[in-house]
Amino acid sequence: MSPANAKLNAFPVFMRVDGEAVAIVGNGEEALAKARLLSQSSAMLRIVADNAGGGLLDFIASTGAVHIKAAYEAAHLQGAALVFAASGDEALDRCVVEDARRLSIPVNAVDRPELCDFFTPALVNRAPVAIAIGTEGAGPVLAQMLRSRIDRMLSPSLGRLAALAASFRAAAEKLPRGNRRRRFWNDFFAGAPARAIEAGELAEARGAALDLLASSAPAEGHIALVGAGPGAEDLLTLRAHRLLMEADAIVYDALVPEAIVAMGRRDAERLPVGKRKGCHSKSQEEINALLIELGSAGKRVVRLKSGDPLVFGRAGEEMAALREAGIAYEVVPGVTAAFAAAADFELPLTLRGVSSSMVFTTGHDLKGNSLPDWAKLAISGATVAVYMGRSVAAEVAGRLIEAGLSPDTAVAVVENASLGNRRRFHGTLADLPSLEARADLTGPVMTIIGDAVAGANFEQSEPLAAHKHEGAASAVAEGVGQ
């Protein structure tokens, strides 16, 4: 994935070309390809070709494009809104580029990205809807592959639906700004009007749209408790992504990456509520009250939680508060950190003949005077996934060994599971206490303990014991120095 701070060198825009001249200089396939692309617009094509090939001549004859059958001259570009240098001859293309720039006309030189003022995208055409895919000239084949995928996703009737929407725009502008107007458009594009257009029933679609305009029912609030996954954007579910795009407000925890929050609608209200260790910006009661307030105002809200909302996400408290307040809600599962960490290690959480049960816990569960009931499961072979356990790693290890779990039990540790900057460590339960001294581990840490861990792939992993020995050596050296 691109880094979060990657910048575009070419900013995408849609340029008006209706009734404007677009000049294409070239005789062969490159010129024909650009002419075909531009013929999807209402521009007036001006093709400068002194020795046009058969395919280009056929295109000119069938479309009525202006054909200048002469050797290229700068005067041929006069009055054009755009220019394409598509001769295949580098010297001529450079000449066309220089002339166009002198005339202050944006110019594209085919297959010469270093000469281009703009790039032509791969185009998905559902006029008036257009989706353009660009790679800044770096990967035209990739752009075409993406175009093909998107083309298959979009209904052929999308253009007709967009045209109908344009006819209702003035009426929709009279609706109150904000939630009411947005709800009309959401229901228009995802409800009865869209279904009628898909079935080819234009009159029925118009009637359904009029019914939506006339509806005076107050908007009902809705809260979606959404699992944001362990961090990687492409592990977000399709349902979560759709809800983010529909949300009026996004309420998110500190561990949710900004890249995932940014996947929401651009004008959605974004409300960080903290919940990071030692830095809680809002109490759970305050979060509950905020969700009720937003829902009561008729807003669609996405409550983004790291991992899965039902695994150490305190979703139970929020659902109880919403039920009591009569606010509609739903839960959207996410990939929990234990599954992401196991995938990073290619680690089977259950393994036939070795482990057939799992325990999800936090390290703090082992801080009490008595061992929790699941400790017996760990001793009997269950795989244990410990969330947020770095700062109490020694206590976790000590209590489990004290309870009878072998110090040689395999352990896998992942910092920043699923992300490109993840770090993996492996060892035994006896090595686990070395985690507490690891000041370099600043991201979320997941620890998996159990005999099934021995089946993991440790090729990309560092041994925990190595750091333990380094720490011991450092302590000895300090003692000698004193």
Side-chain angles (χ1 to χ4, degrees), residues 24-25 114 149 179 198 212 264 308 363 375 460:
I24 301 173
V25 180
E114 73 281 2
R149 292 181 194 175
N179 196 40
E198 187 79 31
L212 289 177
D308 183 280
Q460 305 291 323

mmCIF file of all heavy atoms in Angstrom, residues 24-25 114 149 179 198 212 264 308 363 375 460:
data_model
loop_
_atom_site.group_PDB
_atom_site.id
_atom_site.type_symbol
_atom_site.label_atom_id
_atom_site.label_comp_id
_atom_site.label_asym_id
_atom_site.label_seq_id
_atom_site.Cartn_x
_atom_site.Cartn_y
_atom_site.Cartn_z
ATOM 1 N N ILE A 24 -5.048 16.445 -32.322
ATOM 2 C CA ILE A 24 -4.262 15.215 -32.234
ATOM 3 C C ILE A 24 -3.327 15.183 -33.431
ATOM 4 O O ILE A 24 -3.784 15.258 -34.582
ATOM 5 C CB ILE A 24 -5.164 13.967 -32.241
ATOM 6 C CG1 ILE A 24 -6.149 14.020 -31.067
ATOM 7 C CG2 ILE A 24 -4.319 12.694 -32.187
ATOM 8 C CD1 ILE A 24 -7.198 12.915 -31.103
ATOM 9 N N VAL A 25 -2.024 15.091 -33.177
ATOM 10 C CA VAL A 25 -1.027 15.094 -34.243
ATOM 11 C C VAL A 25 -0.439 13.695 -34.379
ATOM 12 O O VAL A 25 0.178 13.185 -33.435
ATOM 13 C CB VAL A 25 0.091 16.118 -33.964
ATOM 14 C CG1 VAL A 25 1.124 16.106 -35.089
ATOM 15 C CG2 VAL A 25 -0.490 17.512 -33.787
ATOM 16 N N GLU A 114 7.599 12.139 -19.503
ATOM 17 C CA GLU A 114 8.421 13.271 -19.102
ATOM 18 C C GLU A 114 8.045 14.546 -19.860
ATOM 19 O O GLU A 114 8.401 15.655 -19.437
ATOM 20 C CB GLU A 114 9.907 12.942 -19.301
ATOM 21 C CG GLU A 114 10.395 12.904 -20.744
ATOM 22 C CD GLU A 114 10.041 11.620 -21.489
ATOM 23 O OE1 GLU A 114 9.374 10.749 -20.885
ATOM 24 O OE2 GLU A 114 10.438 11.484 -22.659
ATOM 25 N N ARG A 149 -11.938 -4.086 -13.962
ATOM 26 C CA ARG A 149 -12.586 -4.543 -12.728
ATOM 27 C C ARG A 149 -13.738 -3.618 -12.334
ATOM 28 O O ARG A 149 -14.827 -4.071 -11.974
ATOM 29 C CB ARG A 149 -11.570 -4.593 -11.585
ATOM 30 C CG ARG A 149 -10.493 -5.659 -11.747
ATOM 31 C CD ARG A 149 -9.570 -5.636 -10.552
ATOM 32 N NE ARG A 149 -8.348 -6.400 -10.795
ATOM 33 C CZ ARG A 149 -7.332 -6.470 -9.947
ATOM 34 N NH1 ARG A 149 -7.405 -5.841 -8.791
ATOM 35 N NH2 ARG A 149 -6.254 -7.171 -10.242
ATOM 36 N N ASN A 179 -28.610 16.355 7.222
ATOM 37 C CA ASN A 179 -29.054 14.975 7.273
ATOM 38 C C ASN A 179 -30.262 14.696 6.379
ATOM 39 O O ASN A 179 -30.330 13.673 5.702
ATOM 40 C CB ASN A 179 -29.386 14.609 8.728
ATOM 41 C CG ASN A 179 -29.477 13.121 8.921
ATOM 42 O OD1 ASN A 179 -28.691 12.376 8.358
ATOM 43 N ND2 ASN A 179 -30.434 12.686 9.717
ATOM 44 N N GLU A 198 -33.007 0.281 -12.804
ATOM 45 C CA GLU A 198 -32.371 -0.996 -13.153
ATOM 46 C C GLU A 198 -33.334 -1.877 -13.949
ATOM 47 O O GLU A 198 -32.925 -2.615 -14.856
ATOM 48 C CB GLU A 198 -31.931 -1.708 -11.873
ATOM 49 C CG GLU A 198 -31.112 -2.965 -12.085
ATOM 50 C CD GLU A 198 -29.664 -2.678 -12.413
ATOM 51 O OE1 GLU A 198 -29.127 -1.655 -11.952
ATOM 52 O OE2 GLU A 198 -29.076 -3.482 -13.164
ATOM 53 N N LEU A 212 -40.070 10.192 -2.237
ATOM 54 C CA LEU A 212 -38.995 10.488 -1.288
ATOM 55 C C LEU A 212 -38.953 11.968 -0.948
ATOM 56 O O LEU A 212 -38.728 12.348 0.208
ATOM 57 C CB LEU A 212 -37.638 10.059 -1.880
ATOM 58 C CG LEU A 212 -37.358 8.562 -1.997
ATOM 59 C CD1 LEU A 212 -36.010 8.327 -2.669
ATOM 60 C CD2 LEU A 212 -37.376 7.900 -0.626
ATOM 61 N N GLY A 264 -13.878 7.281 5.414
ATOM 62 C CA GLY A 264 -15.246 7.747 5.581
ATOM 63 C C GLY A 264 -15.562 8.898 4.644
ATOM 64 O O GLY A 264 -14.683 9.425 3.951
ATOM 65 N N ASP A 308 -12.061 -6.209 16.582
ATOM 66 C CA ASP A 308 -13.479 -6.545 16.572
ATOM 67 C C ASP A 308 -14.156 -5.864 17.761
ATOM 68 O O ASP A 308 -13.625 -5.905 18.880
ATOM 69 C CB ASP A 308 -13.667 -8.060 16.668
ATOM 70 C CG ASP A 308 -15.126 -8.470 16.581
ATOM 71 O OD1 ASP A 308 -15.835 -8.369 17.606
ATOM 72 O OD2 ASP A 308 -15.565 -8.860 15.491
ATOM 73 N N GLY A 363 -3.553 -9.372 29.545
ATOM 74 C CA GLY A 363 -2.573 -9.686 30.569
ATOM 75 C C GLY A 363 -3.047 -9.297 31.950
ATOM 76 O O GLY A 363 -2.664 -9.900 32.954
ATOM 77 N N ALA A 375 -7.021 -20.453 32.968
ATOM 78 C CA ALA A 375 -5.643 -20.929 33.170
ATOM 79 C C ALA A 375 -5.589 -22.456 33.096
ATOM 80 O O ALA A 375 -4.626 -23.039 32.596
ATOM 81 C CB ALA A 375 -5.107 -20.445 34.512
ATOM 82 N N GLN A 460 10.726 -15.066 9.496
ATOM 83 C CA GLN A 460 10.784 -13.604 9.551
ATOM 84 C C GLN A 460 10.775 -13.092 11.002
ATOM 85 O O GLN A 460 10.512 -11.921 11.240
ATOM 86 C CB GLN A 460 9.565 -13.027 8.817
ATOM 87 C CG GLN A 460 9.393 -13.501 7.396
ATOM 88 C CD GLN A 460 10.468 -12.954 6.492
ATOM 89 O OE1 GLN A 460 10.893 -11.820 6.643
ATOM 90 N NE2 GLN A 460 10.921 -13.765 5.553
#
